[in-house]
Amino acid sequence: MTEEVVLDIGRNAIQLVIVLVSVLLLPALAVGLLVSVFQAATQINEQTLSFIPKLLVTFFVLIIAGPWILNLLVNYMRALIHDIPGFIG
């Protein structure tokens, strides 16, 4: 196994993690921004007001995108395991 192969595996893993995390974090970021604008407009300074909607949106996105996320992870691991003989020899 050469350095290029190790770096390629690491790069692919990091790209996969970035895609999967962004799917969950971007909707939470958008909801947090909307709640912050609402709090600024109404002058309500309650911290749990922004936490609960972000949590609910994250769970909803996880339910909707969960099968897709799991499919990406399984395909990555399947390809990685399939390529082990090529890495060794």
Side-chain angles (χ1 to χ4, degrees):
M1 185 180 293
T2 63
E3 299 87 21
E4 291 85 15
V5 172
V6 173
L7 289 174
D8 191 43
I9 292 170
R11 180 182 50 83
N12 289 339
I14 289 172
Q15 286 177 346
L16 182 65
V17 167
I18 289 171
V19 167
L20 297 180
V21 168
S22 65
V23 167
L24 294 174
L25 288 182
L26 289 177
L29 178 69
V31 168
L33 182 65
L34 290 174
V35 170
S36 296
V37 168
F38 174 75
Q39 283 180 327
T42 60
Q43 296 182 354
I44 298 174
N45 292 326
E46 181 64 34
Q47 291 183 354
T48 58
L49 185 63
S50 67
F51 178 73
I52 300 298
K54 286 192 287 188
L55 185 66
L56 292 175
V57 165
T58 302
F59 283 143
F60 180 73
V61 169
L62 191 58
I63 289 170
I64 298 298
W68 178 73
I69 290 171
L70 186 61
N71 188 26
L72 282 179
L73 287 172
V74 167
N75 287 339
Y76 177 75
M77 288 304 299
R78 186 176 290 144
L80 195 61
I81 291 170
H82 183 264
D83 291 341
I84 286 176
F87 298 151
I88 295 172

